[in-house]
């Protein structure tokens, strides 16, 4: 009897030991964060630091336009990715389509670090679904060594054949290019008036035919650096990165006005690891990390606590942090209804197929 008891106890101890080590192994197993983000938009060192801090692994996938990102989510990516980085004006449509889930603000105490002017904006008034990531403008990058000193700082470099200085490229991003054409024509950058959209369509088609093409994301920046293009429609931070590679590259906000945008972090509705996603958002909002992010990619930070840590040269650069005169020419794009989106999408389809 004692032998049987001893055997049973020994077996029980073995089972408990196996259970203990199984749980220990499970706890130690690295979690994976699937990050879906614009190309060249985060310092790899930040990802390494997050992996170390959370015993996790970050897998990065990239896109070059909001339209591509939304199409991917609608095609099944909503259950594949943990973090996406959309631009402000597409957020309401993503919520309407059921692509995003509410944030767990209990896991994001660093929300307190945000600048008040980037909190509670109309596209997400309670910041239920999004947290600011970076902000900037969409303007014109150019080669200083190939344009005359006294050229007109206008969207005419793209849309007026008389102001064309050699090859130029347009950005393959629907709302940005429609807004650029609208600014040049004197229209609201978010116009959906049919007659105005027709003029925008004709202007974009003419420009596209004279251009070296529509290029997504950082493509315009790379064309400027290589010298393939003399002028390009680019995001402000990309132009500044290009200037680091080639000092002959400049950037300006056209006199007619330009699009100011805010990219935000959000969690897809069926993210496989939402808790880790919330912790990633909180990590990015840390003051030191926020400054590291903007010092790396040369876009402006919405993180007030990070501002004192921004490279002084960047902090004083009006291409990154516009002065009051320039800021007055900037406009956020309005949120469009599904019907309005169909109108502008039809224009963009006609442009791309021309």
């Amino acid at each position: 009897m004692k032998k049987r008891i001893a055997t049973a106890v020994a077996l029980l101890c073995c089972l408990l030991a196996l259970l203990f080590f199984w749980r220990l192994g499970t706890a130690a197993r690295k979690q994976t964060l699937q990050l879906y983000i614009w190309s060249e938009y985060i310092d790899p060192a930040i990802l390494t630091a997050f992996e170390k801090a959370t015993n996790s692994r970050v897998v990065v996938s990239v896109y070059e336009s909001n339209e591509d990102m939304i199409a991917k989510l609608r095609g099944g990516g909503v259950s594949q990715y943990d973090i996406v980085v959309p631009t402000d004006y597409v957020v309401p449509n993503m919520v309407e389509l059921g692509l995003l889930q509410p944030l767990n603000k209990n896991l994001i105490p660093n929300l307190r670090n945000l600048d008040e002017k980037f909190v509670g904006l109309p596209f997400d008034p309670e910041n239920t679904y999004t947290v600011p990531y970076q902000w900037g403008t969409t303007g014109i990058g150019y080669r200083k060594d190939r344009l005359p000193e006294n050229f007109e700082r206008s969207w005419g470099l793209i849309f007026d054949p008389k102001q064309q200085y050699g090859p130029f490229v347009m950005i393959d991003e629907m709302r940005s290019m429609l807004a650029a054409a609208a600014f040049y024509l004197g229209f609201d950058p978010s116009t959906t008036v049919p007659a105005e959209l027709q003029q925008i369509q004709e202007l974009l088609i003419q420009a596209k035919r004279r251009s070296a093409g529509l290029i997504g994301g950082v493509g315009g920046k790379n064309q400027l650096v290589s010298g393939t293009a003399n002028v390009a429609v680019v995001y402000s931070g990309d132009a500044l990165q290009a200037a680091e590679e080639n000092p002959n590259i400049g950037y300006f906000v056209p006199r007619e006005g330009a699009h100011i945008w805010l990219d935000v972090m959000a969690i897809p509705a069926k993210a496989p690891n939402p808790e880790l996603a919330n912790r990633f958002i909180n990590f990015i909002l840390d003051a030191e990390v926020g400054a590291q992010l903007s010092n790396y990619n040369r876009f402006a930070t919405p993180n007030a606590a990070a501002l004192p840590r921004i490279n002084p040269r960047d902090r004083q650069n009006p291409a990154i942090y516009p002065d009051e005169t320039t800021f007055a020419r900037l406009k956020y794009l309005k949120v469009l209804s599904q019907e309005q989106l169909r109108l502008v999408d039809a224009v963009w389809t006609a442009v791309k197929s021309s």
Side-chain angles (χ1 to χ4, degrees):
M1 176 64 72
K2 290 183 178 179
K3 187 175 181 179
R4 289 181 179 177
I5 293 174
T7 301
V9 170
L11 287 171
L12 180 60
C13 288
C14 287
L15 288 171
L16 290 173
L18 286 171
L19 181 61
F20 171 77
F21 285 112
W22 178 80
R23 287 182 174 176
L24 186 63
T26 300
R29 191 179 301 134
K30 287 187 176 181
Q31 302 180 80
T32 298
L33 180 86
Q34 295 285 347
L35 173 63
Y36 195 30
I37 191 170
W38 301 81
S39 60
E40 299 183 23
Y41 207 21
I42 191 166
D43 185 351
I46 291 176
L47 300 180
T48 300
F50 178 75
E51 290 176 327
K52 184 176 180 180
T54 58
N55 189 36
S56 65
R57 184 171 71 99
V58 180
V59 176
V60 179
S61 302
V62 300
Y63 54 87
E64 302 296 349
S65 74
N66 285 295
E67 292 76 27
D68 288 346
M69 178 268 296
I70 292 173
K72 182 76 171 183
L73 293 186
R74 297 188 73 179
V78 71
S79 59
Q80 179 181 348
Y81 301 110
D82 296 301
I83 292 283
V84 291
V85 186
T87 306
D88 54 275
Y89 58 83
V90 302
V91 169
N93 302 115
M94 293 179 72
V95 172
E96 184 178 348
L97 291 168
L99 298 177
L100 301 180
Q101 65 174 268
L103 303 173
N104 183 347
K105 294 183 182 180
N106 291 327
L107 297 177
I108 316 176
N110 284 332
L111 283 168
R112 62 178 177 268
N113 289 340
L114 289 168
D115 188 321
E116 290 184 1
K117 67 173 173 284
F118 296 108
V119 176
L121 294 175
F123 68 89
D124 187 11
E126 301 296 328
N127 288 101
T128 302
Y129 299 95
T130 65
V131 168
Y133 180 72
Q134 298 275 264
W135 67 273
T137 58
T138 303
I140 293 181
Y142 66 99
R143 290 289 299 243
K144 299 176 185 177
D145 55 339
R146 297 182 182 178
L147 270 66
E149 291 185 7
N150 62 345
F151 74 90
E152 190 172 359
R153 267 63 174 173
S154 165
W155 284 114
L157 289 182
I158 303 296
F159 299 119
D160 182 358
K162 296 179 181 178
Q163 296 184 52
Q164 183 175 338
Y165 296 97
F168 69 93
V169 293
M170 300 155 68
I171 196 165
D172 191 1
E173 212 284 319
M174 178 177 72
R175 294 289 304 272
S176 294
M177 280 312 311
L178 265 65
F183 276 117
Y184 180 70
L185 293 169
F187 302 150
D188 184 294
S190 299
T191 183
T192 57
V193 176
E196 294 179 351
L197 288 177
Q198 183 61 38
Q199 292 183 59
I200 288 171
Q201 177 178 310
E202 293 172 1
L203 185 65
L204 286 171
I205 289 174
Q206 293 169 11
K208 178 173 176 280
R209 289 173 176 167
R210 289 185 291 104
S211 77
L214 291 163
I215 302 181
V218 298
K221 178 203 81 169
N222 295 334
Q223 295 269 332
L224 290 172
V225 171
S226 68
T228 307
N230 294 345
V231 173
V233 180
V234 292
Y235 303 125
S236 52
D238 289 342
L240 272 293
Q241 290 178 40
E244 286 291 309
E245 299 178 52
N246 187 327
N248 285 315
I249 294 172
Y251 175 81
F252 65 89
V253 170
R255 61 175 176 77
E256 298 93 344
H259 165 209
I260 179 175
W261 46 260
L262 177 66
D263 283 342
V264 296
M265 295 176 283
I267 303 175
K270 298 179 181 179
N273 205 334
E275 180 176 341
L276 190 62
N278 279 284
R279 295 191 185 282
F280 178 80
I281 291 172
N282 189 62
F283 188 82
I284 294 296
L285 293 183
D286 175 81
E288 293 285 351
V289 175
Q292 181 181 349
L293 176 65
S294 285
N295 288 335
Y296 172 82
N297 63 28
R298 314 299 299 282
F299 286 104
T301 180
N303 189 329
L307 276 174
R309 299 168 174 83
I310 295 296
N311 183 317
R313 184 183 62 172
D314 285 353
R315 187 69 186 88
Q316 296 166 14
N317 188 334
I320 305 175
Y321 296 93
D323 56 34
E324 291 185 9
T325 301
T326 303
F327 210 92
R329 303 202 305 274
L330 301 176
K331 290 185 178 181
Y332 282 104
L333 296 185
K334 298 173 185 175
V335 176
L336 302 182
S337 68
Q338 289 298 321
E339 179 57 34
Q340 291 171 324
L341 279 172
R342 280 190 283 272
L343 289 174
V344 298
D345 186 63
V347 170
W348 190 237
T349 299
V351 171
K352 295 197 71 171
S353 63
S354 65

